[in-house]
Amino acid sequence: MPGAAALIASVRRLATPDLPRFLVRKISETPLSEYRAWVRTLPIEPDDVLYESFAGNGMLDSPEALFRALLADPEQQHRKHVWVLDEPRRHRGTTDEFSADRRVRFVRRGSRAYHRALATAGLLINNATFPAEFGKRPGQTYLNTWHGTPLKRMGYDERQGASGAGNVLRNFMMADYLLSSSSFMSRTMYEQAYRLANVAPGKIIEGGFPRTDRQVLDEAGRGEVTRRLQARGVSVEPGERVVLYAPTWKGESFHRPLDETRELADRVRRLTAHLPAGHRVLLKVHQQVSDLAATQPSLLGLLVPNDVPTNEVLAITDVLVTDYSSIFFDFLATGRPIVFFTPDAARYDDHRGLYLDQKELPGPQVVDVEDLSVVINAVGTGQLPDPQVSHLGAYAAARSRFAAHEDGAVTQRVLDVVVRGRSDSVEVRAIAGDGRPTMLIYLGGMMSNGITTSALNLLRNLDHEAFDVSVVYDASIVPERVANAALIDSRVRQFVRTSGFNPAKVNWLTRRRLFAGEADRIRPSHRLAFEGLLASEWQRTVGAAHFDQVIDFSGYSPLWANLVVGAPAGSRAIWLHNDLLADQLREVGGRHPHRRNLAGVFATYRRFDRLVSVSAALRDINARHLGQWAPAECFVAARNTVDADRVLTSAAAPLPDEPARLRRMLPTAPPDGRHERRGEGEQHGCAHGFTFVSVGRLSPEKNHARLIDAFAPVHAEHPETQLVIIGDGPLRDALQHQIAERGLGESVLLAGMVSNPWSIMARCDCFVLSSDYEGQPMVILEARTLGLPVLTTAFESVSSAVSPQDGLIVSRSVAALADGLRAALAGQVPTPPFDANRYNAETIEELVEALGSRV
């Protein structure tokens, strides 16, 4: 693709205040995204193998062991090998070693050559993760070796849970094979911590790590390792008792670890000083801090270089000292002593958490350097007092449990499975399942609106013992969306789509027409090709899993509607939260914001099994209005659930600081229980006045203008009345102007978008909805949960949220709404108790029935 560099340079010169830098950056990235799209059209090269370790941090770990074995195998000489390095110039020793071998080449991670190799190599081997833009193609085999048995909690078991698991989960879901050292690792990390059980289609090779073969060396081999270390400047001599200190990384983020290199250097010096002659203490740091440690002058001669295979160093190690690093699992195979130096054990366990109880650790634990030196000097002697003797039982149990397969022949057994197609020498098993139906739900844009609230409520109210539930949504750095994503029920598996959908420019017209509902203007061959791109994008996002039920809960995005309807699944459903034809025709500021996108969504309806409206009344409306796009029997209904616990808990919180007027208009504390509300027939008379509250987007269908017009005469009759409208939207300025024109500036407040509307609602006296059309308004359910009287206009689907016995329903005129406000002041709005638990049980039954038996 010639001219890309010149194009990028010219685009970057365009940055001006009128063309924001983020847009310039987006444009400048276009050539690379075009290139990535193009290379994915190239044929797969079945004999090419791509290797990556620790995001290109060197030729390391199990991928290196597999590479060297394939390179030396007489039956595999036809293969070509591509190694990924973060910066090949940093790894001169590695590149020089293979400079004369035409079968081996190196690519820089993130480069065009990298993306081409990643898209075309037949076999992909990684010990960590490929980047977010990677998606495995048909014809590729992906082996993820991972990089150790977990001691520290991983994935969803960590404090941050789903937010730190995304790209790892995505890679595991695409992998054809996952390496495991033991059944412990398979269950604990893969199936539980990363929640692969029930959904991941790959297989687990439960046979150990190829890297550990490097530990099984004879005397000549150990001598060679010693000479290799000496050549790299490490101070070690034959015959010395080698003590390897190998701590893990520390810090809040794997990608931003703490720099503890000075402390580590001081610890090594002190330990060396306390040990008798004949001991040699070496330091091996974690991959994430290896560059930091390499710049520490005090570690000269003591630091094991990062590109020297760790397991070769373990082969010459007499005593391993570690803290929470999984390195000790590898070392178990040697049978030599392990000492755990854990001065921060309680704090670390509380912060990160460990899978093993400290009593299960196969070696003595110490917290002081002087005590550490005493233990090191004694362990492994077999003479009392030998601290290792008291841990022989734990050591033997751990070796059998975690390192039973590390016998020096792991590499060949793995290649038997992945390359030679044989599995008689090692256990290869499917990922476990528990029989629950699997459900994947696209949540929508995660903005603070009714759809997001409904989705979050559903996730909390579903029976997670009956259903295995996953969600998918787009990554975002917008604080509001991040905050909403944090509210997803912790029992739910999360797929976070990153990098965006970037088909080549040649497909842009097809995309535009398909997403505008103009499929009849697309050539069949172009449509078929584009559907292939959509299938690839789906797999890039969630892997190759087959779900029993996939759901587009948003119902407004043509991209997501097309992704979901084409997903491999037993059944597919899309939610209809509103009178969607009315939404499509709605005009805002001379524009129709949903005309094109809903046309694209409607065009997918024939391919869905269920079109789920959020009330029976709305189902009938949508079936009548949208019947040309789907048969009547596909239109079904299931009401939204309500999260009563969250509403009631949040209601007790203090009022928000902004807008400040709220604190003058409303009482500081909410009523102490719903019994303090005025009952039916009780006249108004309270110190803070009578406050009406409405919640909703400031957009035409909510018709807040009608509410303000209705409130004006009532306020003239009852000056102590107030109106608070919570929400924001395109009509804010127009409504503010209307308030000023009516002289209501002191009694009507547009409170804007707030994170906790319930604390405001709980301090008000009556909830009012003035909409022209709705789906099933969540705010009515929330108001009823708070015990508020509900006054609403009679939009078509109003019965889904309130009946004449549960509130006051008036016609959609200013006069009728004003009379309703007066009725509320007179205590004439029915306000019976609302049983949220019973209501939710009924709605979940409706959901199961609506989705059909395949859920």
Side-chain angles (χ1 to χ4, degrees):
M1 298 186 70
L7 176 59
I8 292 173
S10 64
V11 166
R12 285 176 176 161
R13 288 194 293 270
L14 295 175
T16 69
D18 297 323
L19 188 60
R21 288 193 175 274
F22 83 87
L23 184 55
V24 173
R25 185 175 67 250
K26 190 71 177 176
I27 297 171
S28 68
E29 290 171 354
T30 298
L32 181 56
S33 65
E34 279 286 300
Y35 184 81
R36 288 201 303 263
W38 174 67
V39 295
R40 289 181 61 82
T41 67
L42 299 177
I44 302 297
E45 300 291 343
D47 294 334
D48 286 7
V49 187
L50 180 139
Y51 308 85
E52 185 175 315
S53 286
F54 301 112
N57 204 26
M59 183 182 282
L60 304 166
D61 206 71
S62 292
E64 180 198 13
L66 294 166
F67 159 71
R68 291 184 183 275
L70 279 177
L71 198 66
D73 188 337
E75 296 181 358
Q76 302 297 326
Q77 295 304 298
H78 59 287
R79 292 191 177 272
K80 297 178 181 178
H81 307 270
V82 183
W83 261 100
V84 178
L85 298 174
D86 50 12
E87 181 48 69
R89 288 176 296 182
R90 291 182 59 240
H91 306 280
R92 186 69 68 187
T94 298
T95 57
D96 286 350
E97 180 182 356
F98 298 97
S99 60
D101 194 328
R102 299 182 64 181
R103 296 171 298 165
V104 183
R105 63 188 176 95
F106 299 90
V107 296
R108 180 174 56 81
R109 195 174 196 262
S111 67
R112 289 171 180 268
Y114 170 73
H115 287 293
R116 179 165 185 158
L118 191 57
T120 58
L123 176 58
L124 308 171
I125 300 176
N126 200 328
N127 78 337
T129 60
F130 290 117
E133 58 268 22
F134 163 71
K136 185 170 75 75
R137 297 174 62 196
Q140 290 185 305
T141 299
Y142 178 10
L143 166 64
N144 192 294
T145 69
W146 203 240
H147 48 268
T149 305
L151 174 61
K152 303 180 287 288
R153 293 194 178 275
M154 305 285 285
Y156 284 81
D157 293 341
E158 291 187 65
R159 180 176 298 179
Q160 74 270 27
S163 65
N167 195 42
V168 179
L169 171 60
R170 199 182 64 84
N171 270 257
F172 287 170
M173 290 293 292
M174 283 188 283
D176 297 279
Y177 299 104
L178 299 165
L179 285 197
S180 171
S181 61
S182 59
S183 60
F184 165 82
M185 179 179 175
S186 301
R187 291 192 309 269
T188 302
M189 191 182 93
Y190 288 133
E191 293 173 345
Q192 297 173 12
Y194 284 102
R195 301 190 176 177
L196 300 188
N198 289 329
V199 296
K203 295 185 180 298
I204 295 175
I205 303 175
E206 209 166 86
F209 294 119
R211 68 188 186 189
T212 61
D213 292 351
R214 309 290 281 273
Q215 296 171 186
V216 184
L217 299 178
D218 56 17
E219 282 300 320
R222 288 193 287 273
E224 179 59 32
V225 173
T226 299
R227 288 189 291 274
R228 182 176 179 181
L229 287 171
Q230 291 172 333
R232 297 299 304 278
V234 178
S235 301
V236 60
E237 297 295 334
E240 291 181 319
R241 193 175 191 226
V242 175
V243 178
L244 182 66
Y245 178 36
T248 191
W249 67 277
K250 304 287 178 64
E252 294 292 331
S253 168
F254 179 77
H255 300 288
R256 295 183 299 278
L258 291 176
D259 182 0
E260 295 185 310
T261 52
R262 290 187 179 182
E263 181 181 343
L264 294 176
D266 177 66
R267 197 170 284 168
V268 169
R269 285 197 303 272
R270 289 166 55 207
L271 181 58
T272 300
H274 282 91
L275 286 171
H279 285 78
R280 176 66 62 186
V281 181
L282 303 179
L283 176 66
K284 172 60 182 176
V285 298
H286 193 276
Q287 294 288 325
Q288 290 302 101
V289 294
S290 59
D291 287 345
L292 295 171
T295 63
Q296 185 61 246
S298 57
L299 288 176
L300 190 65
L302 305 175
L303 181 67
V304 175
N306 192 55
D307 58 355
V308 175
T310 300
N311 295 84
E312 285 191 355
V313 182
L314 291 181
I316 68 165
T317 296
D318 296 288
V319 181
L320 174 67
V321 178
T322 187
D323 47 10
Y324 319 102
S325 172
S326 64
I327 193 173
F328 89 83
F329 289 109
D330 284 10
F331 196 67
L332 284 169
T334 68
R336 296 192 284 272
I338 304 168
V339 181
F340 294 89
F341 182 63
T342 55
D344 59 346
R347 177 162 47 88
Y348 190 87
D349 195 10
D350 180 64
H351 169 70
R352 177 71 186 265
L354 304 176
Y355 285 120
L356 299 184
D357 186 274
Q358 294 188 24
K359 295 178 182 178
E360 297 179 273
L361 296 178
Q365 300 166 63
V366 294
V367 298
D368 177 82
V369 170
E370 291 187 18
D371 291 341
L372 177 61
S373 66
V374 172
V375 170
I376 290 172
N377 195 41
V379 293
T381 63
Q383 302 175 358
L384 295 177
D386 180 353
Q388 186 71 9
V389 172
S390 61
H391 289 82
L392 289 178
Y395 197 109
R399 187 173 183 178
S400 174
R401 183 182 179 190
F402 305 120
H405 304 293
E406 320 292 2
D407 58 1
V410 178
T411 301
Q412 291 303 324
R413 290 198 295 267
V414 172
L415 291 177
D416 277 348
V417 175
V418 179
V419 174
R420 303 180 187 112
R422 302 197 303 263
S423 58
D424 52 334
S425 61
V426 64
E427 181 177 355
V428 182
R429 69 171 181 84
I431 291 167
D434 58 21
R436 286 178 297 163
T438 56
M439 178 188 299
L440 176 64
I441 305 172
Y442 167 59
L443 297 180
M446 300 304 288
M447 296 296 287
S448 296
N449 55 33
I451 292 176
T452 299
T453 299
S454 300
L456 295 174
N457 291 350
L458 175 61
L459 297 176
R460 294 189 189 98
N461 285 297
L462 279 169
D463 182 353
H464 291 269
E465 292 185 1
F467 302 108
D468 181 305
V469 183
S470 303
V471 298
V472 60
Y473 57 94
D474 287 311
S476 177
I477 60 172
V478 177
E480 175 186 348
R481 300 185 186 199
V482 173
N484 285 327
L487 297 174
I488 294 171
D489 191 284
S490 62
R491 295 168 292 181
V492 173
R493 184 187 298 105
Q494 297 183 34
F495 296 98
V496 183
R497 177 174 166 268
T498 57
S499 290
F501 178 50
N502 292 306
K505 286 180 182 177
V506 69
N507 295 297
W508 283 8
L509 181 59
T510 301
R511 171 180 177 158
R512 179 178 175 82
R513 287 178 173 172
L514 183 65
F515 292 174
E518 300 170 354
D520 57 329
R521 300 178 62 194
I522 304 172
R523 292 181 183 178
S525 59
H526 292 179
R527 171 74 179 266
L528 186 63
F530 195 78
E531 287 178 352
L533 294 175
L534 289 168
S536 295
E537 178 65 8
W538 180 263
Q539 184 173 47
R540 184 184 74 85
T541 304
V542 304
H546 180 282
F547 292 89
D548 295 311
Q549 180 76 54
V550 290
I551 294 170
D552 178 354
F553 194 80
S554 167
Y556 278 86
S557 166
L559 169 60
W560 277 103
N562 278 278
L563 286 172
V564 170
V565 82
S571 184
R572 303 164 188 83
I574 187 168
W575 250 241
L576 286 66
H577 291 275
N578 226 322
D579 177 348
L580 290 186
L581 185 62
D583 238 7
Q584 187 191 33
L585 300 177
R586 174 168 56 90
E587 183 176 332
V588 181
R591 296 175 57 253
H592 295 83
H594 290 304
R595 175 174 286 173
R596 288 184 64 86
N597 68 293
L598 283 179
V601 172
F602 295 164
T604 67
Y605 281 178
R606 290 191 183 278
R607 299 171 62 196
F608 279 100
D609 300 286
R610 299 287 189 276
L611 309 175
V612 186
S613 295
V614 292
S615 71
L618 188 62
R619 172 200 59 205
D620 296 340
I621 294 168
N622 281 321
R624 186 169 65 249
H625 291 172
L626 305 174
Q628 71 183 90
W629 285 283
E633 61 269 19
C634 289
F635 289 89
V636 294
R639 289 174 294 169
N640 289 315
T641 62
V642 62
D643 187 351
D645 290 340
R646 184 184 178 207
V647 170
L648 294 172
T649 300
S650 301
L655 287 168
D657 294 331
E658 296 293 337
R661 277 180 58 194
L662 278 173
R663 296 180 177 271
R664 299 195 299 272
M665 297 176 70
L666 301 176
T668 304
D672 184 15
R674 298 276 60 85
H675 61 276
E676 289 195 2
R677 294 275 180 217
R678 284 175 297 285
E680 236 179 292
E682 185 177 345
Q683 296 291 318
H684 161 61
C686 59
H688 282 87
F690 191 101
T691 306
F692 297 98
V693 62
S694 188
V695 182
R697 179 171 166 77
L698 306 185
S699 53
E701 75 279 7
K702 303 296 183 182
N703 210 331
H704 291 103
R706 176 168 53 210
L707 174 58
I708 294 168
D709 282 344
F711 177 75
V714 175
H715 177 68
E717 300 161 11
H718 301 276
E720 75 282 7
T721 54
Q722 305 173 119
L723 172 61
V724 176
I725 300 175
I726 302 171
D728 213 337
L731 298 185
R732 182 182 182 90
D733 289 345
L735 293 173
Q736 198 70 63
H737 180 72
Q738 181 185 2
I739 291 167
E741 273 195 337
R742 302 294 189 277
L744 299 173
E746 293 300 314
S747 54
V748 178
L749 173 64
L750 299 183
M753 183 68 71
V754 295
S755 59
N756 179 9
W758 306 292
S759 65
I760 300 173
M761 293 170 66
R763 291 162 171 81
C764 296
D765 300 284
C766 180
F767 177 80
V768 187
L769 198 64
S770 182
S771 296
D772 290 325
Y773 62 90
E774 289 275 358
Q776 187 202 19
M778 291 302 306
V779 286
I780 287 184
L781 298 177
E782 292 162 356
R784 294 182 64 192
T785 299
L786 292 170
L788 279 169
V790 172
L791 167 63
T792 178
T793 50
F795 49 88
E796 278 195 89
S797 60
V798 68
S799 61
S800 66
V802 65
S803 71
Q805 292 75 43
D806 301 322
L808 182 60
I809 304 172
V810 300
S811 66
R812 288 178 287 173
S813 70
V814 172
L817 187 55
D819 285 343
L821 297 176
R822 294 184 183 99
L825 284 167
Q828 295 172 355
V829 177
T831 315
F834 176 59
D835 188 339
N837 291 332
R838 179 179 177 181
Y839 168 84
N840 283 335
E842 292 173 354
T843 58
I844 293 299
E845 287 182 10
E846 292 174 6
L847 173 73
V848 174
E849 182 178 352
L851 293 179
S853 60
R854 279 171 290 188
V855 76

